[in-house]
């Protein structure tokens, strides 16, 4: 009789808190072969670097092309975010039913084409050339291209981080933790250096920045394309079919219908897509990994992240650009540190309890920083410094918690549902991110920044509570009170 899998053991009560949920490993010594890991990291780096550079560069280009107004940039970012919400289910379905290599290649090619076309339009606009449709028409065009780029970015991210790494790790929890941590370090390095790099070039010349953006995008496509293909062909498990291409509830058309009008066929798929979206959201809410996933998504509702809103406030409070840059660098350093602390803590006490500890750390640091911010409100610099310190220290908990949630989702979500689940998760992240911008639209004055800050802390507290509920459901308790009592009694004796 075959032994129970770790997931089955967890459901039957035989699962211990530090046991992995993944099945026994086929990876020797907990290590992925270096050549496979290097190619996976290279492809992920190129994809993340280009995405970060273009995302930040587009804001700079729009600011130059449309000076004195934030409206074009706001519409651009809002539409880009909405596309991620509306088409999340379609992207997830394609990831789940498509060939893994084809899915990633499509994401690479169309993302690069969208960026290349956007750079062409940005360059023409920056030169002040007369273009059919004018600035408004071109803004609509680059916004549509931005939606394509965003969806392809999500497709690549979900495919590689939520599916490929799980398969490559071959059931080894140590290997999966290592891959997750290294991928997160790549994300953070690109997040820090990419925007700084393109901003420095843009400071010299916007046209040069656009051309450089275009050049890096064009060169990287071949590297990404072939690096990920080598990983695919060297890991046989990646070549396995995940599920049938058609969902069970979708009727298969007969040969007679295939000769019908194409327009009828297209419109005939609309109800299926809507039904699939509703089904995916319902599955997401009912899934056992819903609470940790939703808790992680809630953390996107924040202005305490050294993004545009907080930077604008710090400048108004008396901080210089150099001081803000130093604070942002310290913040990223703590985030990178979390990619070592998180896996270490997971290895010691397991991902579930580690997530609770790290979530509590993040909330505690933000509450402390916000308390200083509110108490010393009449001293803008001291008040802002309290907020900065709390935010920096909280990033250790944020990124560590993110690694715990990612590991739980990778282990809990079934292989044929990873795309749909993670795409719905990305939709929630985009929604909460947009709500964070809405908070500073409503409270737009620097002296009102305390309200978006309190909303952010409230979101983190809600995320922590949701995760604590998940931990209680999973373990039956939050604290080892009995173990604590035994420890005290042993000391007395």
């Amino acid at each position: 009789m075959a032994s129970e899998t770790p997931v089955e053991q967890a459901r039957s009560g035989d699962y211990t808190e530090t046991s992995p949920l993944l099945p026994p490993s086929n990876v020797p010594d907990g290590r992925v072969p270096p050549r496979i890991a290097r190619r996976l990291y290279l492809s992920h780096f190129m994809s993340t670097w280009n995405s970060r550079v273009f995302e930040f560069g587009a804001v700079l280009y729009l600011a130059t092309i449309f000076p004195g107004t934030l409206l074009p940039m706001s519409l651009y970012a809002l539409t880009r975010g909405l596309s991620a919400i509306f088409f999340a289910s379609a992207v997830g379905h394609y990831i789940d039913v498509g060939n893994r290599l084809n899915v990633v290649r499509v994401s690479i090619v169309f993302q690069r084409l969208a960026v290349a076309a956007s750079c062409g339009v940005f360059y023409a606009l920056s030169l002040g050339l007369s273009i059919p449709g004018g600035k408004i028409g071109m803004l609509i065009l680059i916004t549509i291209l931005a939606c394509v780029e965003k969806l392809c970015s999500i497709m690549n991210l979900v495919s590689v981080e939520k599916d490929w790494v799980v398969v490559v790790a071959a059931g080894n929890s140590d290997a999966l933790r290592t891959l997750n941590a290294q991928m997160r370090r790549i994300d953070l390095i690109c997040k820090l250096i990419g925007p700084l790099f393109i901003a420095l070039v843009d400071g010299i010349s916007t046209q040069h920045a656009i051309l450089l953006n275009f050049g890096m995008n064009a060169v990287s496509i071949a590297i990404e394309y072939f690096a990920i293909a080598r990983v695919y062909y060297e890991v046989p498990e990646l070549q396995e079919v995940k599920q049938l291409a058609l969902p069970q509830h979708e009727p298969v058309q007969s040969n007679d219908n295939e000769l019908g009008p194409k327009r009828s066929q297209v419109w005939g798929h609309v109800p299926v897509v809507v039904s699939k979206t509703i089904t995916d959201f319902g599955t997401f809410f009912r899934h056992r990994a819903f609470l940790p996933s939703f808790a992680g998504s809630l953390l996107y509702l924040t202005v305490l992240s050294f993004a545009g809103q907080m930077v604008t406030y710090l400048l108004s409070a008396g901080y210089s650009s150099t001081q803000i840059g130093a604070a942002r660098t310290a913040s990223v350093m703590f985030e990178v540190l979390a990619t070592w602390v998180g896996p270490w803590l997971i290895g010691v006490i397991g991902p579930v309890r580690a997530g609770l500890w790290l979530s509590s750390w993040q909330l505690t640091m933000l509450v402390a920083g916000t308390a200083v911010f509110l108490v010393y409100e009449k001293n803008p610099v001291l008040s802002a410094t309290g907020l900065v310190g709390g935010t920096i220290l909280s990033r250790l908990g944020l990124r560590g918690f993110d690694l715990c949630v990612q590991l739980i989702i990778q282990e809990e979500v079934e292989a044929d549902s990873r795309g749909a689940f993670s795409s719905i998760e990305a939709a929630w992240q985009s929604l909460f991110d947009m709500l964070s911008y809405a908070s500073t639209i409503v409270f737009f004055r620097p002296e009102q920044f305390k309200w978006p800050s309190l909303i952010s802390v409230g979101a983190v507290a809600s995320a922590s509570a949701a995760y604590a509920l998940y931990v209680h459901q999973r373990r039956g308790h939050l604290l080892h009170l009995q173990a604590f009592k035994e420890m005290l009694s042993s000391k007395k004796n």
Side-chain angles (χ1 to χ4, degrees):
M1 180 178 176
S3 61
E4 286 183 314
T5 67
V7 173
E8 290 168 343
Q9 292 172 6
R11 293 172 183 168
S12 63
D14 297 330
Y15 174 77
T16 60
E17 290 168 354
T18 57
S19 299
L21 290 176
L22 292 173
S25 171
N26 295 322
V27 176
D29 302 324
R31 293 184 60 193
V32 175
R35 67 182 185 280
I36 295 177
R38 282 196 300 268
R39 287 164 183 158
L40 187 65
Y41 297 152
L42 175 61
S43 176
H44 185 62
F45 170 77
M46 299 303 294
S47 177
T48 307
W49 173 265
N50 281 291
S51 182
R52 289 290 187 182
V53 168
F54 177 73
E55 183 179 28
F56 192 77
V59 174
L60 299 178
Y61 310 151
L62 286 169
T64 301
I65 295 167
F66 298 93
T69 176
L70 295 176
L71 183 60
M73 188 271 288
S74 300
L75 292 173
Y76 176 91
L78 179 64
T79 307
R80 187 170 179 266
L82 286 173
S83 69
I85 297 173
F86 291 143
F87 296 103
S89 182
V91 171
H93 178 67
Y94 179 57
I95 293 171
D96 285 335
V97 304
N99 173 274
R100 284 187 171 99
L101 182 60
N102 289 343
V103 169
V104 174
R105 281 181 164 176
V106 165
S107 71
I108 291 171
V109 172
F110 281 92
Q111 187 179 16
R112 298 292 158 259
L113 289 175
V115 172
S118 296
C119 287
V121 176
F122 279 131
Y123 189 73
L125 289 173
S126 68
L127 293 176
L129 300 179
S130 178
I131 304 175
K135 280 190 174 183
I136 302 302
M138 291 302 99
L139 176 62
I140 294 173
L141 176 59
I142 58 178
T143 301
I144 294 172
L145 291 171
C147 293
V148 174
E149 189 275 335
K150 177 68 173 180
L151 292 172
C152 290
S153 175
I154 292 174
M155 189 186 301
N156 188 286
L157 186 70
V158 170
S159 296
V160 175
E161 289 196 356
K162 302 299 174 68
D163 184 33
W164 282 57
V165 296
V166 179
V167 178
V168 170
N172 188 290
S173 293
D174 291 335
L176 185 57
R177 284 200 300 269
T178 300
L179 287 171
N180 283 340
Q182 187 60 38
M183 300 284 264
R184 187 62 67 232
R185 288 183 200 118
I186 291 171
D187 292 341
L188 294 172
I189 290 171
C190 293
K191 175 185 176 182
L192 174 65
I193 301 178
L196 177 63
F197 172 73
I198 199 67
L200 290 174
V201 179
D202 183 77
I204 300 172
S205 168
T206 298
Q207 287 83 11
H208 290 167
I210 296 171
L211 291 175
L212 181 61
N213 203 161
F214 177 88
M216 290 189 299
N217 182 75
V219 170
S220 69
I221 186 170
I223 301 173
E224 278 186 79
Y225 198 89
F226 291 106
I228 203 69
R230 293 298 298 272
V231 174
Y232 178 82
Y233 290 118
E234 290 191 25
V235 181
E237 292 79 5
L238 287 172
Q239 302 167 39
E240 295 177 359
V241 178
K242 289 176 285 187
Q243 67 175 55
L244 295 175
L246 288 175
Q248 294 179 355
H249 63 271
E250 183 176 348
V252 180
Q253 296 181 359
S254 65
N255 292 332
D256 294 336
N257 292 334
E258 291 176 0
L259 301 177
K262 291 185 178 180
R263 181 177 299 176
S264 299
Q265 291 181 8
V266 171
W267 283 108
H269 283 288
V270 172
V272 175
V273 173
V274 173
S275 176
K276 182 69 169 59
T277 301
I278 295 172
T279 301
D280 286 345
F281 271 93
T283 302
F284 178 80
F285 287 125
R286 292 189 301 270
H287 200 281
R288 59 183 175 273
F290 161 68
L291 283 174
S293 174
F294 193 74
S297 300
L298 257 176
L299 298 179
Y300 281 74
L301 206 175
T302 183
V303 297
L304 305 178
S305 61
F306 293 102
Q309 301 112 307
M310 188 172 178
V311 168
T312 302
Y313 166 72
L314 291 176
L315 288 170
S316 69
Y319 267 63
S320 67
S321 298
T322 303
Q323 291 170 328
I324 294 173
R328 191 171 187 273
T329 301
S331 174
V332 175
M333 288 174 63
F334 270 83
E335 293 183 46
V336 174
L337 178 62
T339 63
W340 278 280
V341 174
W344 169 79
L345 191 58
I346 291 170
V348 174
I349 61 176
V352 177
R353 273 204 295 164
L356 185 63
W357 287 25
L358 291 164
S359 176
S360 300
W361 171 273
Q362 181 191 7
L363 179 59
T364 302
M365 294 302 104
L366 284 180
V367 167
T370 306
V372 174
F373 172 62
L374 294 175
V375 169
Y376 296 97
E377 189 174 2
K378 294 182 179 179
N379 186 333
V381 175
L382 181 58
S383 175
T385 300
L387 202 59
V388 166
T391 301
I392 291 173
L393 293 174
S394 73
R395 307 308 277 184
L396 178 65
L398 170 67
R399 293 305 172 193
F401 177 72
D402 179 56
L403 285 172
C404 294
V405 169
Q406 183 175 353
L407 186 60
I408 290 169
I409 292 171
Q410 288 171 334
E411 295 179 338
E412 291 276 11
V413 178
E414 301 78 7
D416 58 359
S417 301
R418 287 177 190 144
F421 186 93
S422 297
S423 296
I424 297 299
E425 180 185 46
W428 282 109
Q429 292 170 356
S430 297
L431 175 62
F432 287 125
D433 188 43
M434 288 192 296
L435 288 177
S436 74
Y437 282 99
S439 69
T440 52
I441 291 174
V442 175
F443 303 104
F444 59 90
R445 294 188 179 89
E447 60 270 19
Q448 295 177 317
F449 191 72
K450 63 181 178 181
W451 299 116
S453 299
L454 289 172
I455 291 172
S456 302
V457 174
V460 174
S462 299
S464 186
Y467 188 78
L469 177 60
Y470 166 76
V471 174
H472 189 271
Q473 291 176 349
R474 177 75 172 268
R475 299 169 60 207
H477 59 276
L478 294 179
L479 300 174
H480 278 298
L481 295 179
Q482 186 61 35
F484 183 67
K485 291 178 181 177
E486 290 176 359
M487 182 183 70
L488 291 178
S489 61
S490 64
K491 286 185 177 181
K492 290 179 180 179
N493 297 331

